[in-house]
Amino acid sequence: MKLSFYDLNFADLEAVLKLNNLNTSAASVLFNWHYKKKQTVQCKENIAKTSIDFFQDHYDFSLPEIDTVHESSHDKTVKFLFKLADGHKVETVLIPFHNKYSICLSSQVGCAMNCSFCFTGKQGLHRNLSTSEIVGQLIQAWCWLANNRPGEERILNIVFMGQGEPLHNFDAVKKACEIFLSKHGTSIGIQKITISTAGYIPGLKRWREEIPGVNLALSLHSTLKEKRNELIPINKKYPLTEVLNYIDQIPLQKKQFVTYEYILIKDLNDSADDAKELGELLAGKSAYINLIPFNAFPGSNYQQPEHDKIRQFKKVLDTYKIPTLIRATKGDDVLAACGQLNSKKTIQHSAQY
Ligand code: SAH
């Protein structure tokens, strides 16, 4: 079987060329072609015939196939369902802001974390995505924009907040980040990439050692042990205090924040006392809080708090002088909002829209 071209970072590509006695200058030509110009067919320009033949014989340039596209009727959110070579499906979301887009990438088929409020977790973990399957989501979404919303193909932020726990698939996610960062290709700034984790400490350790410039977001959701155990079961193995201690020791770069995500669930973690506890826990840290009103999905037992309650929660946090944002729910009509991604159920439910 051929290897995927999109599994190679720039250094890998140079090494492959060298090993096969080919001109290493082809590496920048190829990165420019596939990642800057986002061409999806093999490059046959400005590259020696021997190199063209080599890549034709040994490498595969196919990308995850777009199975379905759901465009929100409320806003410009687009949700893609991708079909992978083995038939598994994953989702990717383009989230609009000021005529540009953030892309929310999946890192696994399903997820092993089994968080009680998350639709993805309900399907369990099927497998990790490869680097090419992660990178391929961005290339395909970019090409879709170029074809369907010409002039709008600007994806300026990358967040690993789709399906899966990115730090549980560290190698593939890291390599995808390296490809996105490469100045020969998409050349995305390191501060434009965010990895969100439920608090998987082995992955945090690797993040710190290997890609500390990439932003980190921690799904916090409750300061209380019992509640967090219920919401995020890996809290039993890697308790919040240990996770926070670990994060606190990480030397952040200037202007680098850790984002703390806090999902607000009615009558569960949305009281003024909960807000106070959160404020006290995070005061003084280089923290940024994202309040995410719970997004319902078919079969979910939790509810979203009233809008006033959400605002009151933020008011309490403001007294601690922690920058806090209430995340607007985008794309909820296509089940593309946080925690609504579940590739098994998508087709069935999207039929309603
Ligand atoms: N596994 C990673 C990334 C995926 S989830 C993590 O846990 O961080 C990305 C964000 O969406 C997380 O903060 C997650 O807690 C949140 N989320 C999951 N389900 C949600 C739901 N139903 N409503 C609102 N936010 C949800």
Side-chain angles (χ1 to χ4, degrees), residues 104 107 111 113 115 117-120 160-166 195-199 217-221 232 261-264 292-297 300 327 337-340:
C104 179
S107 54
C111 185
M113 300 295 119
C115 298
F117 50 84
C118 180
F119 203 16
T120 305
F160 284 91
M161 295 185 187
Q163 285 164 296
E165 164 55 46
I195 291 181
S196 180
T197 179
L218 175 71
S219 293
L220 203 152
H221 309 335
I232 308 177
E261 295 161 283
Y262 193 97
I263 189 174
L264 281 165
I292 317 172
F294 171 71
N295 292 311
F297 52 83
S300 60
R327 200 190 282 169
C338 286
Q340 294 184 311

mmCIF file of all heavy atoms in Angstrom, residues 104 107 111 113 115 117-120 160-166 195-199 217-221 232 261-264 292-297 300 327 337-340, ligand 1:
data_model
loop_
_atom_site.group_PDB
_atom_site.id
_atom_site.type_symbol
_atom_site.label_atom_id
_atom_site.label_comp_id
_atom_site.label_asym_id
_atom_site.label_seq_id
_atom_site.Cartn_x
_atom_site.Cartn_y
_atom_site.Cartn_z
ATOM 1 N N CYS A 104 -12.542 23.739 13.295
ATOM 2 C CA CYS A 104 -12.561 22.857 14.452
ATOM 3 C C CYS A 104 -12.304 21.441 13.932
ATOM 4 O O CYS A 104 -13.118 20.877 13.197
ATOM 5 C CB CYS A 104 -13.941 22.983 15.100
ATOM 6 S SG CYS A 104 -14.165 21.956 16.527
ATOM 7 N N SER A 107 -9.728 14.721 15.976
ATOM 8 C CA SER A 107 -8.441 14.030 16.098
ATOM 9 C C SER A 107 -8.600 12.515 16.250
ATOM 10 O O SER A 107 -7.633 11.772 16.143
ATOM 11 C CB SER A 107 -7.657 14.575 17.298
ATOM 12 O OG SER A 107 -8.453 14.508 18.472
ATOM 13 N N CYS A 111 -14.302 8.892 20.867
ATOM 14 C CA CYS A 111 -13.447 9.412 21.939
ATOM 15 C C CYS A 111 -13.519 8.463 23.121
ATOM 16 O O CYS A 111 -14.574 7.883 23.397
ATOM 17 C CB CYS A 111 -13.936 10.797 22.363
ATOM 18 S SG CYS A 111 -12.879 11.601 23.587
ATOM 19 N N MET A 113 -12.848 9.397 26.259
ATOM 20 C CA MET A 113 -12.991 10.125 27.526
ATOM 21 C C MET A 113 -14.369 9.934 28.175
ATOM 22 O O MET A 113 -14.518 10.073 29.369
ATOM 23 C CB MET A 113 -12.709 11.626 27.322
ATOM 24 C CG MET A 113 -11.313 11.935 26.802
ATOM 25 S SD MET A 113 -10.002 11.489 27.966
ATOM 26 C CE MET A 113 -9.086 10.284 27.027
ATOM 27 N N CYS A 115 -17.114 11.701 28.446
ATOM 28 C CA CYS A 115 -17.664 12.787 29.261
ATOM 29 C C CYS A 115 -19.188 12.736 29.196
ATOM 30 O O CYS A 115 -19.763 12.497 28.130
ATOM 31 C CB CYS A 115 -17.135 14.136 28.770
ATOM 32 S SG CYS A 115 -15.331 14.251 28.927
ATOM 33 N N PHE A 117 -21.529 14.840 29.245
ATOM 34 C CA PHE A 117 -22.297 15.888 28.542
ATOM 35 C C PHE A 117 -21.974 15.935 27.054
ATOM 36 O O PHE A 117 -22.412 16.842 26.349
ATOM 37 C CB PHE A 117 -21.933 17.251 29.147
ATOM 38 C CG PHE A 117 -20.437 17.428 29.217
ATOM 39 C CD1 PHE A 117 -19.744 17.873 28.110
ATOM 40 C CD2 PHE A 117 -19.732 17.066 30.352
ATOM 41 C CE1 PHE A 117 -18.361 17.970 28.128
ATOM 42 C CE2 PHE A 117 -18.344 17.168 30.383
ATOM 43 C CZ PHE A 117 -17.662 17.624 29.269
ATOM 44 N N CYS A 118 -21.161 14.997 26.575
ATOM 45 C CA CYS A 118 -20.633 15.117 25.213
ATOM 46 C C CYS A 118 -21.170 14.025 24.293
ATOM 47 O O CYS A 118 -21.087 12.833 24.609
ATOM 48 C CB CYS A 118 -19.104 15.082 25.255
ATOM 49 S SG CYS A 118 -18.363 15.229 23.625
ATOM 50 N N PHE A 119 -21.684 14.455 23.181
ATOM 51 C CA PHE A 119 -22.287 13.540 22.210
ATOM 52 C C PHE A 119 -21.238 12.597 21.619
ATOM 53 O O PHE A 119 -21.493 11.407 21.430
ATOM 54 C CB PHE A 119 -22.920 14.388 21.097
ATOM 55 C CG PHE A 119 -24.012 13.697 20.325
ATOM 56 C CD1 PHE A 119 -24.626 12.544 20.793
ATOM 57 C CD2 PHE A 119 -24.449 14.236 19.123
ATOM 58 C CE1 PHE A 119 -25.649 11.932 20.081
ATOM 59 C CE2 PHE A 119 -25.480 13.628 18.394
ATOM 60 C CZ PHE A 119 -26.075 12.484 18.869
ATOM 61 N N THR A 120 -20.060 13.147 21.341
ATOM 62 C CA THR A 120 -19.007 12.322 20.724
ATOM 63 C C THR A 120 -18.650 11.141 21.630
ATOM 64 O O THR A 120 -18.470 10.016 21.172
ATOM 65 C CB THR A 120 -17.738 13.158 20.467
ATOM 66 O OG1 THR A 120 -18.087 14.291 19.693
ATOM 67 C CG2 THR A 120 -16.694 12.351 19.733
ATOM 68 N N PHE A 160 -8.370 22.232 17.984
ATOM 69 C CA PHE A 160 -8.615 20.797 18.097
ATOM 70 C C PHE A 160 -9.704 20.608 19.144
ATOM 71 O O PHE A 160 -9.435 20.297 20.298
ATOM 72 C CB PHE A 160 -7.329 20.063 18.478
ATOM 73 C CG PHE A 160 -6.374 19.906 17.335
ATOM 74 C CD1 PHE A 160 -5.392 20.854 17.080
ATOM 75 C CD2 PHE A 160 -6.461 18.803 16.491
ATOM 76 C CE1 PHE A 160 -4.516 20.709 16.008
ATOM 77 C CE2 PHE A 160 -5.586 18.646 15.424
ATOM 78 C CZ PHE A 160 -4.614 19.601 15.180
ATOM 79 N N MET A 161 -10.919 20.903 18.733
ATOM 80 C CA MET A 161 -12.068 20.797 19.640
ATOM 81 C C MET A 161 -13.193 20.000 18.993
ATOM 82 O O MET A 161 -14.355 20.104 19.383
ATOM 83 C CB MET A 161 -12.591 22.189 20.018
ATOM 84 C CG MET A 161 -11.601 23.008 20.814
ATOM 85 S SD MET A 161 -12.324 24.548 21.356
ATOM 86 C CE MET A 161 -10.882 25.354 22.066
ATOM 87 N N GLY A 162 -12.854 19.252 17.968
ATOM 88 C CA GLY A 162 -13.862 18.415 17.333
ATOM 89 C C GLY A 162 -13.927 17.087 18.058
ATOM 90 O O GLY A 162 -13.732 17.005 19.274
ATOM 91 N N GLN A 163 -14.163 16.035 17.300
ATOM 92 C CA GLN A 163 -14.264 14.733 17.940
ATOM 93 C C GLN A 163 -12.896 14.274 18.429
ATOM 94 O O GLN A 163 -11.895 14.429 17.730
ATOM 95 C CB GLN A 163 -14.807 13.721 16.933
ATOM 96 C CG GLN A 163 -16.288 13.903 16.709
ATOM 97 C CD GLN A 163 -16.744 13.194 15.463
ATOM 98 O OE1 GLN A 163 -16.347 13.525 14.363
ATOM 99 N NE2 GLN A 163 -17.606 12.224 15.629
ATOM 100 N N GLY A 164 -12.891 13.669 19.605
ATOM 101 C CA GLY A 164 -11.663 13.063 20.108
ATOM 102 C C GLY A 164 -10.945 13.894 21.141
ATOM 103 O O GLY A 164 -11.265 15.052 21.381
ATOM 104 N N GLU A 165 -9.974 13.227 21.771
ATOM 105 C CA GLU A 165 -9.118 13.886 22.752
ATOM 106 C C GLU A 165 -7.748 14.016 22.073
ATOM 107 O O GLU A 165 -7.009 13.038 21.938
ATOM 108 C CB GLU A 165 -9.048 13.016 24.022
ATOM 109 C CG GLU A 165 -7.940 13.347 24.985
ATOM 110 C CD GLU A 165 -7.908 14.811 25.450
ATOM 111 O OE1 GLU A 165 -8.953 15.364 25.806
ATOM 112 O OE2 GLU A 165 -6.810 15.398 25.430
ATOM 113 N N PRO A 166 -7.394 15.229 21.612
ATOM 114 C CA PRO A 166 -6.177 15.370 20.806
ATOM 115 C C PRO A 166 -4.899 14.919 21.523
ATOM 116 O O PRO A 166 -4.003 14.367 20.886
ATOM 117 C CB PRO A 166 -6.122 16.867 20.479
ATOM 118 C CG PRO A 166 -7.164 17.516 21.304
ATOM 119 C CD PRO A 166 -8.144 16.479 21.721
ATOM 120 N N ILE A 195 -5.048 23.476 21.229
ATOM 121 C CA ILE A 195 -5.398 22.078 21.505
ATOM 122 C C ILE A 195 -6.214 22.044 22.791
ATOM 123 O O ILE A 195 -5.792 22.577 23.812
ATOM 124 C CB ILE A 195 -4.115 21.231 21.666
ATOM 125 C CG1 ILE A 195 -3.403 21.115 20.323
ATOM 126 C CG2 ILE A 195 -4.438 19.861 22.238
ATOM 127 C CD1 ILE A 195 -2.138 20.283 20.367
ATOM 128 N N SER A 196 -7.367 21.435 22.716
ATOM 129 C CA SER A 196 -8.233 21.360 23.894
ATOM 130 C C SER A 196 -8.164 19.959 24.494
ATOM 131 O O SER A 196 -8.247 18.963 23.781
ATOM 132 C CB SER A 196 -9.672 21.673 23.478
ATOM 133 O OG SER A 196 -10.531 21.611 24.589
ATOM 134 N N THR A 197 -8.012 19.910 25.822
ATOM 135 C CA THR A 197 -7.895 18.604 26.464
ATOM 136 C C THR A 197 -8.826 18.498 27.667
ATOM 137 O O THR A 197 -9.121 19.498 28.329
ATOM 138 C CB THR A 197 -6.441 18.326 26.920
ATOM 139 O OG1 THR A 197 -6.394 17.043 27.560
ATOM 140 C CG2 THR A 197 -5.918 19.383 27.877
ATOM 141 N N ALA A 198 -9.227 17.260 27.936
ATOM 142 C CA ALA A 198 -10.038 17.009 29.124
ATOM 143 C C ALA A 198 -9.126 16.906 30.353
ATOM 144 O O ALA A 198 -9.608 16.772 31.480
ATOM 145 C CB ALA A 198 -10.830 15.717 28.933
ATOM 146 N N GLY A 199 -7.810 16.955 30.132
ATOM 147 C CA GLY A 199 -6.854 16.898 31.241
ATOM 148 C C GLY A 199 -6.079 15.588 31.264
ATOM 149 O O GLY A 199 -5.827 15.019 32.325
ATOM 150 N N ALA A 217 -6.045 24.552 25.807
ATOM 151 C CA ALA A 217 -7.332 24.822 26.444
ATOM 152 C C ALA A 217 -7.647 23.620 27.326
ATOM 153 O O ALA A 217 -7.459 22.473 26.912
ATOM 154 C CB ALA A 217 -8.425 25.008 25.388
ATOM 155 N N LEU A 218 -8.046 23.888 28.554
ATOM 156 C CA LEU A 218 -8.424 22.794 29.447
ATOM 157 C C LEU A 218 -9.927 22.831 29.679
ATOM 158 O O LEU A 218 -10.489 23.866 30.046
ATOM 159 C CB LEU A 218 -7.693 22.925 30.798
ATOM 160 C CG LEU A 218 -8.117 21.886 31.833
ATOM 161 C CD1 LEU A 218 -7.592 20.496 31.463
ATOM 162 C CD2 LEU A 218 -7.658 22.261 33.234
ATOM 163 N N SER A 219 -10.550 21.695 29.487
ATOM 164 C CA SER A 219 -11.980 21.591 29.799
ATOM 165 C C SER A 219 -12.112 21.397 31.296
ATOM 166 O O SER A 219 -11.760 20.342 31.818
ATOM 167 C CB SER A 219 -12.582 20.396 29.041
ATOM 168 O OG SER A 219 -12.565 20.670 27.658
ATOM 169 N N LEU A 220 -12.554 22.411 31.987
ATOM 170 C CA LEU A 220 -12.551 22.377 33.462
ATOM 171 C C LEU A 220 -13.921 21.937 34.003
ATOM 172 O O LEU A 220 -14.036 20.946 34.687
ATOM 173 C CB LEU A 220 -12.146 23.767 33.963
ATOM 174 C CG LEU A 220 -11.572 23.824 35.367
ATOM 175 C CD1 LEU A 220 -10.619 24.977 35.523
ATOM 176 C CD2 LEU A 220 -12.650 23.883 36.418
ATOM 177 N N HIS A 221 -14.930 22.711 33.703
ATOM 178 C CA HIS A 221 -16.339 22.356 33.935
ATOM 179 C C HIS A 221 -16.832 22.261 35.380
ATOM 180 O O HIS A 221 -18.011 22.453 35.639
ATOM 181 C CB HIS A 221 -16.742 21.086 33.185
ATOM 182 C CG HIS A 221 -16.395 21.097 31.723
ATOM 183 N ND1 HIS A 221 -16.243 22.261 31.002
ATOM 184 C CD2 HIS A 221 -16.157 20.087 30.853
ATOM 185 C CE1 HIS A 221 -15.935 21.967 29.745
ATOM 186 N NE2 HIS A 221 -15.870 20.668 29.625
ATOM 187 N N ILE A 232 -16.405 14.436 33.793
ATOM 188 C CA ILE A 232 -15.220 14.027 33.011
ATOM 189 C C ILE A 232 -14.571 12.848 33.737
ATOM 190 O O ILE A 232 -13.726 13.037 34.626
ATOM 191 C CB ILE A 232 -14.200 15.192 32.901
ATOM 192 C CG1 ILE A 232 -14.883 16.464 32.398
ATOM 193 C CG2 ILE A 232 -13.015 14.827 32.027
ATOM 194 C CD1 ILE A 232 -13.977 17.679 32.336
ATOM 195 N N GLU A 261 -12.057 26.099 29.639
ATOM 196 C CA GLU A 261 -13.421 25.994 29.132
ATOM 197 C C GLU A 261 -14.324 25.530 30.266
ATOM 198 O O GLU A 261 -13.961 24.628 31.041
ATOM 199 C CB GLU A 261 -13.480 24.980 27.979
ATOM 200 C CG GLU A 261 -12.665 25.447 26.778
ATOM 201 C CD GLU A 261 -12.345 24.306 25.855
ATOM 202 O OE1 GLU A 261 -11.436 23.506 26.182
ATOM 203 O OE2 GLU A 261 -13.004 24.192 24.821
ATOM 204 N N TYR A 262 -15.439 26.176 30.366
ATOM 205 C CA TYR A 262 -16.379 25.822 31.429
ATOM 206 C C TYR A 262 -17.769 25.732 30.825
ATOM 207 O O TYR A 262 -18.359 26.724 30.420
ATOM 208 C CB TYR A 262 -16.321 26.883 32.537
ATOM 209 C CG TYR A 262 -17.018 26.486 33.822
ATOM 210 C CD1 TYR A 262 -16.308 25.954 34.885
ATOM 211 C CD2 TYR A 262 -18.401 26.655 33.961
ATOM 212 C CE1 TYR A 262 -16.948 25.586 36.073
ATOM 213 C CE2 TYR A 262 -19.048 26.290 35.131
ATOM 214 C CZ TYR A 262 -18.313 25.771 36.187
ATOM 215 O OH TYR A 262 -18.946 25.414 37.354
ATOM 216 N N ILE A 263 -18.247 24.514 30.730
ATOM 217 C CA ILE A 263 -19.554 24.281 30.154
ATOM 218 C C ILE A 263 -20.582 24.601 31.244
ATOM 219 O O ILE A 263 -20.382 24.227 32.401
ATOM 220 C CB ILE A 263 -19.603 22.813 29.693
ATOM 221 C CG1 ILE A 263 -20.831 22.502 28.895
ATOM 222 C CG2 ILE A 263 -19.498 21.856 30.797
ATOM 223 C CD1 ILE A 263 -20.745 21.084 28.333
ATOM 224 N N LEU A 264 -21.603 25.350 30.916
ATOM 225 C CA LEU A 264 -22.596 25.712 31.938
ATOM 226 C C LEU A 264 -23.835 24.846 31.786
ATOM 227 O O LEU A 264 -24.505 24.878 30.748
ATOM 228 C CB LEU A 264 -22.968 27.187 31.794
ATOM 229 C CG LEU A 264 -21.937 28.155 32.393
ATOM 230 C CD1 LEU A 264 -22.197 29.572 31.885
ATOM 231 C CD2 LEU A 264 -21.985 28.127 33.914
ATOM 232 N N ILE A 292 -19.160 28.007 28.074
ATOM 233 C CA ILE A 292 -19.881 27.373 26.961
ATOM 234 C C ILE A 292 -21.243 26.894 27.466
ATOM 235 O O ILE A 292 -21.308 25.905 28.198
ATOM 236 C CB ILE A 292 -19.115 26.145 26.397
ATOM 237 C CG1 ILE A 292 -17.617 26.433 26.258
ATOM 238 C CG2 ILE A 292 -19.711 25.680 25.088
ATOM 239 C CD1 ILE A 292 -16.783 25.205 25.893
ATOM 240 N N PRO A 293 -22.308 27.594 27.101
ATOM 241 C CA PRO A 293 -23.626 27.088 27.503
ATOM 242 C C PRO A 293 -23.821 25.683 26.922
ATOM 243 O O PRO A 293 -23.522 25.460 25.746
ATOM 244 C CB PRO A 293 -24.599 28.090 26.877
ATOM 245 C CG PRO A 293 -23.771 29.312 26.591
ATOM 246 C CD PRO A 293 -22.387 28.825 26.311
ATOM 247 N N PHE A 294 -24.266 24.780 27.763
ATOM 248 C CA PHE A 294 -24.442 23.390 27.325
ATOM 249 C C PHE A 294 -25.308 23.325 26.069
ATOM 250 O O PHE A 294 -26.364 23.942 25.999
ATOM 251 C CB PHE A 294 -25.092 22.570 28.445
ATOM 252 C CG PHE A 294 -25.501 21.201 28.007
ATOM 253 C CD1 PHE A 294 -24.557 20.227 27.731
ATOM 254 C CD2 PHE A 294 -26.853 20.884 27.832
ATOM 255 C CE1 PHE A 294 -24.936 18.965 27.299
ATOM 256 C CE2 PHE A 294 -27.236 19.622 27.398
ATOM 257 C CZ PHE A 294 -26.270 18.665 27.133
ATOM 258 N N ASN A 295 -24.838 22.583 25.106
ATOM 259 C CA ASN A 295 -25.616 22.370 23.884
ATOM 260 C C ASN A 295 -26.296 21.015 23.949
ATOM 261 O O ASN A 295 -25.616 19.998 24.092
ATOM 262 C CB ASN A 295 -24.696 22.404 22.654
ATOM 263 C CG ASN A 295 -24.145 23.791 22.416
ATOM 264 O OD1 ASN A 295 -24.879 24.777 22.407
ATOM 265 N ND2 ASN A 295 -22.835 23.886 22.264
ATOM 266 N N ALA A 296 -27.573 21.046 23.842
ATOM 267 C CA ALA A 296 -28.312 19.778 23.939
ATOM 268 C C ALA A 296 -28.103 18.938 22.688
ATOM 269 O O ALA A 296 -27.795 19.461 21.618
ATOM 270 C CB ALA A 296 -29.797 20.071 24.126
ATOM 271 N N PHE A 297 -28.230 17.642 22.846
ATOM 272 C CA PHE A 297 -28.181 16.726 21.696
ATOM 273 C C PHE A 297 -29.236 15.654 21.949
ATOM 274 O O PHE A 297 -29.720 15.505 23.089
ATOM 275 C CB PHE A 297 -26.779 16.136 21.507
ATOM 276 C CG PHE A 297 -26.201 15.501 22.739
ATOM 277 C CD1 PHE A 297 -26.515 14.204 23.090
ATOM 278 C CD2 PHE A 297 -25.327 16.218 23.551
ATOM 279 C CE1 PHE A 297 -25.986 13.623 24.219
ATOM 280 C CE2 PHE A 297 -24.791 15.643 24.694
ATOM 281 C CZ PHE A 297 -25.123 14.338 25.029
ATOM 282 N N SER A 300 -29.860 13.784 25.467
ATOM 283 C CA SER A 300 -29.089 14.335 26.589
ATOM 284 C C SER A 300 -30.011 14.721 27.747
ATOM 285 O O SER A 300 -31.140 15.152 27.533
ATOM 286 C CB SER A 300 -28.273 15.551 26.138
ATOM 287 O OG SER A 300 -29.122 16.559 25.634
ATOM 288 N N ARG A 327 -19.206 31.922 25.102
ATOM 289 C CA ARG A 327 -19.073 31.500 23.707
ATOM 290 C C ARG A 327 -20.444 31.431 23.041
ATOM 291 O O ARG A 327 -21.329 30.726 23.533
ATOM 292 C CB ARG A 327 -18.381 30.137 23.621
ATOM 293 C CG ARG A 327 -17.791 29.919 22.229
ATOM 294 C CD ARG A 327 -17.332 28.522 22.031
ATOM 295 N NE ARG A 327 -16.062 28.254 22.663
ATOM 296 C CZ ARG A 327 -15.574 27.021 22.796
ATOM 297 N NH1 ARG A 327 -16.256 25.990 22.375
ATOM 298 N NH2 ARG A 327 -14.413 26.820 23.372
ATOM 299 N N ALA A 337 -22.420 22.594 16.975
ATOM 300 C CA ALA A 337 -21.869 23.300 18.131
ATOM 301 C C ALA A 337 -21.084 22.321 19.003
ATOM 302 O O ALA A 337 -21.160 21.106 18.810
ATOM 303 C CB ALA A 337 -23.003 23.946 18.911
ATOM 304 N N CYS A 338 -20.332 22.862 19.961
ATOM 305 C CA CYS A 338 -19.495 22.039 20.834
ATOM 306 C C CYS A 338 -20.256 20.852 21.382
ATOM 307 O O CYS A 338 -21.358 21.009 21.892
ATOM 308 C CB CYS A 338 -19.055 22.835 22.056
ATOM 309 S SG CYS A 338 -17.804 24.030 21.721
ATOM 310 N N GLY A 339 -19.654 19.703 21.309
ATOM 311 C CA GLY A 339 -20.239 18.535 21.942
ATOM 312 C C GLY A 339 -21.408 17.936 21.190
ATOM 313 O O GLY A 339 -22.001 16.970 21.624
ATOM 314 N N GLN A 340 -21.723 18.484 20.047
ATOM 315 C CA GLN A 340 -22.849 17.922 19.297
ATOM 316 C C GLN A 340 -22.369 17.030 18.156
ATOM 317 O O GLN A 340 -23.157 16.578 17.348
ATOM 318 C CB GLN A 340 -23.717 19.042 18.728
ATOM 319 C CG GLN A 340 -24.418 19.852 19.806
ATOM 320 C CD GLN A 340 -25.331 20.891 19.202
ATOM 321 O OE1 GLN A 340 -24.940 21.638 18.323
ATOM 322 N NE2 GLN A 340 -26.557 20.944 19.664
HETATM 323 N N1 SAH B 1 -11.492 16.212 24.206
HETATM 324 C C1 SAH B 1 -11.205 17.609 24.175
HETATM 325 C C2 SAH B 1 -11.701 18.326 22.943
HETATM 326 C C3 SAH B 1 -13.096 18.074 22.449
HETATM 327 S S1 SAH B 1 -14.467 18.909 23.112
HETATM 328 C C4 SAH B 1 -11.671 18.274 25.450
HETATM 329 O O1 SAH B 1 -12.285 17.614 26.274
HETATM 330 O O2 SAH B 1 -11.376 19.431 25.657
HETATM 331 C C5 SAH B 1 -14.272 20.601 22.893
HETATM 332 C C6 SAH B 1 -15.072 21.402 23.943
HETATM 333 O O3 SAH B 1 -16.476 21.213 23.805
HETATM 334 C C7 SAH B 1 -14.726 20.965 25.346
HETATM 335 O O4 SAH B 1 -14.551 22.037 26.238
HETATM 336 C C8 SAH B 1 -15.926 20.150 25.713
HETATM 337 O O5 SAH B 1 -16.009 20.005 27.075
HETATM 338 C C9 SAH B 1 -17.035 20.961 25.066
HETATM 339 N N2 SAH B 1 -18.299 20.235 24.954
HETATM 340 C C10 SAH B 1 -18.474 18.917 24.792
HETATM 341 N N3 SAH B 1 -19.787 18.605 24.764
HETATM 342 C C11 SAH B 1 -20.469 19.761 24.896
HETATM 343 C C12 SAH B 1 -21.866 20.088 24.904
HETATM 344 N N4 SAH B 1 -22.818 19.169 24.771
HETATM 345 N N5 SAH B 1 -22.194 21.387 25.037
HETATM 346 C C13 SAH B 1 -21.237 22.334 25.133
HETATM 347 N N6 SAH B 1 -19.922 22.084 25.139
HETATM 348 C C14 SAH B 1 -19.525 20.805 25.016
#
